[in-house]
Amino acid sequence: MSAPAPATPVLEARDLSVVYAGNRALSVENFQLAEGELAGIVGANGAGKSTFANAMMGWSRGAPKVTGDVLLDGQSISALTTPERVRRGLLLIPENDLVFATMTVSENLAHAASARQAGGRRIYTTDEIYDLFPNLAERRNHLGGQLSGGERQMVGIARALRLAPRVLMLDEPSIGLAPLLVTVVLKTVRTLVDEGLTVLLVEQNVKAAIRTVDRLILLERGQILAEGPVDEMKADPRVADAYLGADT
Ligand SMILES: Nc1ncnc2c1ncn2[C@@H]1O[C@H](COP(=O)(O)OP(=O)(O)OP(=O)(O)O)[C@@H](O)[C@H]1O
């Protein structure tokens, strides 16, 4: 009997390159995210982590030259606009996700309830979201502007869950959060993966990423320097010496 064909990656990038005014910010030959996987991209400031996540979404902060191909479930989405990619279920929660400050938590969630064509993907109900995030359930009538950084992250994730994600990408969810809240947010991400979601975590906080992900990808100067199962990667001197310190 022949071996089964390898499964099609849920998300893939081929020869993805981003150049800002002649400076190459990203050059990724091949990146693949498998069904139900929780992978993490880590790297120093300016390594190109956000540029990578944004390029997958077809979005950028300036006007770079972007070349290469992005595929979702084996189909090229490179010609699609960012809203079209969102409708296909590719969702990015950017750094400092915008929460509507003058709306309550429940209004913020209701505002995101617009995944009309979920294509069979799961749309989390508000009750399921409040089960995942008891903090938000308690604060459902609080205004967005009154929430802590961690609670805002939770609203960002919750809104994405209302939009029937196929792949969820989180850009630096730990930024500005107290260590306890980082743990709470990342544990919830793990729960979502256990329930079947595919997640790419973009993190500068390497220690937090290592505690959470299955596979670690090290990005430096816009290139994938190393990648592999998290247990192997945390012993790799390029990760251990540069990011984990002698005590780890
Ligand atoms: N709009 C822009 N114009 C010019 N250069 C840019 C622009 N956006 C990003 N860059 C450059 O691209 C490189 C990668 O930036 P990026 O924001 O992707 O890094 P990062 O790894 O996400 O860093 P951080 O962890 O600090 O957010 C950096 O050298 C940055 O200065």
Side-chain angles (χ1 to χ4, degrees):
M1 230 167 64
S2 59
T8 306
V10 177
L11 186 64
E12 195 174 354
R14 293 181 190 160
D15 294 319
L16 190 61
S17 155
V18 178
V19 177
Y20 285 104
N23 294 316
R24 191 175 299 273
L26 189 77
S27 178
V28 168
E29 252 173 59
N30 190 270
F31 162 84
Q32 299 188 343
L33 192 62
E35 174 99 54
E37 190 179 23
L38 171 47
I41 294 200
V42 297
N45 283 123
K49 303 181 297 297
S50 297
T51 299
F52 179 72
N54 293 341
M56 300 301 259
M57 288 308 300
W59 184 85
S60 66
R61 267 175 293 186
K65 184 173 189 299
V66 181
T67 53
D69 209 5
V70 178
L71 297 95
L72 187 64
D73 286 315
Q75 285 191 336
S76 175
I77 56 168
S78 300
L80 301 186
T81 62
T82 303
E84 284 167 342
R85 295 181 200 206
V86 169
R87 281 197 285 278
R88 298 271 184 105
L90 184 58
L91 286 167
L92 170 65
I93 302 171
E95 273 179 68
N96 307 314
D97 184 63
L98 294 175
V99 170
F100 295 106
T102 56
M103 289 184 188
T104 64
V105 167
S106 66
E107 286 165 349
N108 264 281
L109 296 188
H111 193 266
S114 56
R116 274 168 296 226
Q117 293 167 317
R121 302 185 312 271
R122 176 174 179 182
I123 303 176
Y124 279 73
T125 65
T126 21
D127 283 347
E128 287 169 334
I129 285 169
Y130 287 140
D131 282 347
L132 268 173
F133 297 109
N135 289 23
L136 294 187
E138 282 169 29
R139 289 165 183 74
R140 67 182 80 192
N141 296 318
H142 290 211
L143 293 178
Q146 298 168 340
L147 300 177
S148 72
E151 289 158 359
R152 276 204 288 274
Q153 280 291 351
M154 293 172 195
V155 173
I157 297 171
R159 289 175 55 193
L161 296 176
R162 298 287 290 140
L163 292 167
R166 174 76 175 119
V167 179
L168 192 60
M169 298 192 286
L170 297 111
D171 193 354
E172 307 252 6
S174 76
I175 208 155
L177 300 192
L180 194 63
L181 269 176
V182 173
T183 305
V184 171
V185 169
L186 294 184
K187 269 195 175 154
T188 310
V189 170
R190 169 50 73 186
T191 304
L192 293 170
V193 172
D194 291 344
E195 291 180 3
L197 195 62
T198 304
V199 172
L200 180 65
L201 183 69
V202 174
E203 259 303 339
Q204 205 189 325
N205 184 338
V206 181
K207 288 183 181 177
I210 278 178
R211 285 198 302 271
T212 312
V213 303
D214 306 316
R215 180 163 64 99
L216 200 70
I217 298 147
L218 178 62
L219 201 66
E220 266 188 29
R221 293 189 198 89
Q223 297 191 0
I224 295 179
L225 194 66
E227 65 178 304
V230 72
D231 286 338
E232 283 174 25
M233 287 292 287
K234 71 183 179 193
D236 186 313
R238 290 169 293 189
V239 175
D241 297 350
Y243 298 100
L244 300 181
D247 57 329
T248 312

